[in-house]
Amino acid sequence: MSNEKNPVVFGTEDLLISLCNSVSKVLTAATKSQIHYSGMAQRITKTCLKPDIGCFVLFDGGFSGLVVINFSAQAAMELYESYMLDMGMAKEGLASSHTSDEVSDVMGELMNQIVGDFTGKVERELQTHITQNQPRMLVLNKQVMLSVDTNLDNPEARRVTFFTGRHNIFYLELATDRTEFIRLYDFEPEKAPDPDELIAQANRESRDSAIVSQQTPADDSDDLLRSLGM
């Protein structure tokens, strides 16, 4: 009797690592500063929104879950300012407080990019599909803590500490149903799309369309002249 190979299993910690890598990747690219996370994760019993800015997003589909990120005011302002300055905004025109709507909007957009990157990896690497809702941001004071309940049958929750380039701290929390993905057969995960190539392709298509639109009137005129025997 031949020995069977041990199946490849992808569980909660693997999902957590994939999500943490998405956080680091997106925020590092957006702020041009190194964002890294602790090598240790905490097992927690529930997820909470905490001061100073709490952000959460729900996902559903192949599996269900909740992602929460709690930013300190210092971490939120550092990420916001770095992102806006990299976009070419003048420092004098930036918001001066983490309670500003502009800061919440930027953090919500970054959260949307993070979860979008994560869901893309889930589709490519786990060959399943999950959808997300629009991220929600809440500015909280020191006396408020809100619990976020999710409809999970057998929930598992983890918390990971993140560090910004200036050593400010924020926390990621993930709650998901206890689940395991078991590889049934070997396959090569799809490659992530290259953003530069997508932009170049869009530019080529736009240029080709412009050329066709410029040629069309001339071609129509030639056809008309030919039909008249001229």
Side-chain angles (χ1 to χ4, degrees), residues 80-81 83-94 102:
Y80 159 76
E81 289 177 358
Y83 177 67
M84 297 301 285
L85 292 174
D86 186 64
M87 294 286 287
M89 300 294 292
K91 188 174 180 61
E92 297 76 17
L94 300 183
E102 184 178 342

Side-chain angles (χ1 to χ4, degrees), residues 65-112:
L66 165 72
V67 178
V68 173
I69 301 184
N70 291 309
F71 297 97
S72 65
Q74 295 81 5
M77 289 304 294
E78 176 188 344
L79 297 173
Y80 159 76
E81 289 177 358
S82 298
Y83 177 67
M84 297 301 285
L85 292 174
D86 186 64
M87 294 286 287
M89 300 294 292
K91 188 174 180 61
E92 297 76 17
L94 300 183
S96 58
S97 172
H98 73 279
T99 59
S100 168
D101 289 342
E102 184 178 342
V103 176
S104 294
D105 290 343
V106 167
M107 302 310 294
E109 170 59 26
L110 292 175
M111 182 73 166
N112 197 43

Side-chain angles (χ1 to χ4, degrees), residues 18-67:
S18 180
L19 178 59
C20 287
N21 288 337
S22 290
V23 173
S24 295
K25 171 187 172 183
V26 170
L27 294 184
T28 295
T31 63
K32 298 299 185 290
S33 62
Q34 190 61 44
I35 309 297
H36 65 281
Y37 58 92
S38 169
M40 301 293 289
Q42 293 175 268
R43 191 188 303 272
I44 57 179
T45 58
K46 63 179 180 179
T47 55
C48 294
L49 294 171
K50 300 177 182 177
D52 292 299
I53 293 182
C55 182
F56 71 95
V57 61
L58 297 164
F59 54 85
D60 199 5
F63 59 93
S64 300
L66 165 72
V67 178

Side-chain angles (χ1 to χ4, degrees), residues 119-163:
T119 57
K121 286 192 293 185
V122 165
E123 291 187 13
R124 294 190 304 272
E125 298 174 7
L126 300 183
Q127 297 192 344
T128 188
H129 178 74
I130 57 175
T131 58
Q132 68 182 78
N133 71 341
Q134 191 66 22
R136 300 288 187 266
M137 303 290 299
L138 289 176
V139 178
L140 307 172
N141 60 40
K142 292 293 184 181
Q143 285 73 43
V144 175
M145 180 182 293
L146 300 177
S147 295
V148 182
D149 294 326
T150 54
N151 296 321
L152 302 177
D153 297 325
N154 190 12
E156 290 189 330
R158 304 286 187 269
R159 178 189 294 128
V160 178
T161 305
F162 277 77
F163 306 90

Side-chain angles (χ1 to χ4, degrees), residues 149-200:
D149 294 326
T150 54
N151 296 321
L152 302 177
D153 297 325
N154 190 12
E156 290 189 330
R158 304 286 187 269
R159 178 189 294 128
V160 178
T161 305
F162 277 77
F163 306 90
T164 68
R166 300 176 195 165
H167 306 293
N168 289 310
I169 294 175
F170 61 94
Y171 299 94
L172 166 75
E173 296 182 4
L174 168 68
T176 183
D177 267 326
R178 179 175 178 81
T179 185
E180 290 183 341
F181 287 85
I182 302 170
R183 181 174 295 179
L184 301 179
Y185 58 86
D186 289 334
F187 62 88
E188 288 294 330
E190 296 180 13
K191 293 183 179 180
D194 185 346
D196 294 334
E197 177 58 30
L198 292 177
I199 293 173

